[in-house]
Amino acid sequence: MSLSLIVFFIAAAIALGGALGVVMTRNIVYAAFSLLASLMGVAGLFLTAFAEFLALVQVLIYGGAIVIVILFALMLTRIQDFENLSGNRQWPVAALVSAVVFGLLVASVFSTTVRTVADRQAVSLDDLGRTLFEQWAVPFEIASLVLLVALIGVVVMVGANGRRE
Amino acid sequence: MIELAHFQIVAAALFAIGLYGVLSRRSAVLILMSIELMLNAVNVNLIGFAAFADIADPSRALGQVIVVFVITIAAAELALALAIILRLYRNRSTVNVDEVNLMKW
């Protein structure tokens, strides 16, 4: 077993263990920190696929921004009655549905052939930058506009209306 | 040696766990966290495919470019969804999605 495979399995275990923590725990703050662990595990998976720039982006945006925003949302909403919010009577159906979806995905992974190379190769940052800012420059600008519109919408929805009431 | 199937199976497991969270939780914030897990599963898949693409392929960085877009849209979606949850909490004093039936007839 090569070293990279060991690193891959550790990262995958962190990602999947954190994900299980998110869906299983009865404490919502633990769920937020499990989400952080899971996202860092995903960043490790990115590193094993030589996507070091995206691993950095993952740590910065998810670890630095998204989990913090979720924790602020938890602070602003009441979480005392979380105990009876965490479960759901439909959980056996949910488990069955997600198990079937997982089975279907794995079956489709093994029944389709993809034209790939034998071992993974790094996508250079140069390549990524050229593709992003030459070929995909217009969608990139539109994505920044979408982000701007979404954040203005957030401010309008949460902030301004509160003052009028 | 890491193979493409490893990435695909981990991504499938992450997606299934996120789907279970979306279907079984009643707190809106937890449903949102599970949606983030599902988006990350898709990202793992895309990164895996980008790493195993043919080196001569001129558009082999495309997988990583799409991941950049997915992360951007995920951030926008999360901010908007949390704003909706805060409004909901202010108006109805709950984040339980079972009790939010304003549009149900």
Side-chain angles (χ1 to χ4, degrees):
Chain A
M1 192 188 272
S2 64
L3 185 64
S4 61
L5 198 59
I6 295 170
V7 173
F8 177 88
F9 279 133
I10 292 172
I14 294 172
L16 294 179
L20 282 176
V22 172
V23 297
M24 294 293 180
T25 182
R26 300 190 72 80
N27 185 329
I28 198 163
V29 181
Y30 291 170
F33 282 106
S34 299
L35 180 69
L36 179 61
S38 177
L39 297 175
M40 294 306 106
V42 170
L45 290 180
F46 285 5
L47 279 180
T48 60
F50 296 129
E52 62 278 346
F53 173 69
L54 287 172
L56 184 69
V57 167
Q58 174 92 359
V59 172
L60 277 178
I61 292 183
Y62 280 104
I66 284 184
V67 173
I68 302 295
V69 169
I70 286 176
L71 285 173
F72 265 99
L74 295 183
M75 187 184 79
L76 295 173
T77 56
R78 187 184 47 185
I79 55 172
Q80 282 91 322
D81 57 350
F82 178 68
E83 285 287 308
N84 48 18
L85 270 183
S86 56
N88 188 329
R89 284 186 308 281
Q90 297 146 4
W91 73 266
V93 183
L96 181 68
V97 167
S98 50
V100 167
V101 167
F102 178 67
L104 278 177
L105 286 174
V106 171
S108 61
V109 163
F110 285 116
S111 62
T112 47
T113 49
V114 191
R115 193 169 53 85
T116 55
V117 290
D119 198 8
R120 74 229 128 88
Q121 288 154 333
V123 178
S124 69
L125 203 51
D126 190 62
D127 248 7
L128 175 61
R130 281 186 191 284
T131 314
L132 186 55
F133 290 110
E134 285 174 4
Q135 200 180 342
W136 290 80
V138 175
F140 184 78
E141 296 300 328
I142 292 173
S144 70
L145 200 63
V146 166
L147 202 54
L148 180 70
V149 170
L151 293 183
I152 292 174
V154 168
V155 171
V156 169
M157 213 166 2
V158 178
N161 215 341
R163 227 180 300 127
R164 221 183 300 143
E165 278 165 13
Chain B
M1 200 172 81
I2 303 179
E3 286 170 32
L4 181 58
H6 287 116
F7 284 99
Q8 288 173 314
I9 288 170
V10 169
L14 209 54
F15 190 88
I17 293 171
L19 183 65
Y20 173 75
V22 170
L23 292 178
S24 70
R25 293 293 207 174
R26 285 191 297 176
S27 165
V29 182
L30 268 171
I31 291 176
L32 210 55
M33 289 189 207
S34 305
I35 290 174
E36 291 297 318
L37 285 179
M38 291 166 83
L39 286 167
N40 267 280
V42 175
N43 283 353
V44 170
N45 228 338
L46 286 168
I47 290 279
F49 274 110
F52 283 91
D54 197 352
I55 191 107
D57 193 346
S59 63
R60 63 186 297 268
L62 191 58
Q64 298 202 4
V65 169
I66 295 174
V67 171
V68 171
F69 288 130
V70 170
I71 291 177
T72 313
I73 300 304
E77 168 250 325
L78 184 95
L80 267 179
L82 285 177
I84 291 171
I85 289 171
L86 285 185
R87 286 300 297 181
L88 189 68
Y89 181 72
R90 222 184 266 166
N91 288 343
R92 311 274 310 228
S93 308
T94 182
V95 290
N96 184 349
V97 290
D98 283 353
E99 290 172 20
V100 184
N101 47 14
L102 285 167
M103 294 177 79
K104 193 173 166 187
W105 54 280

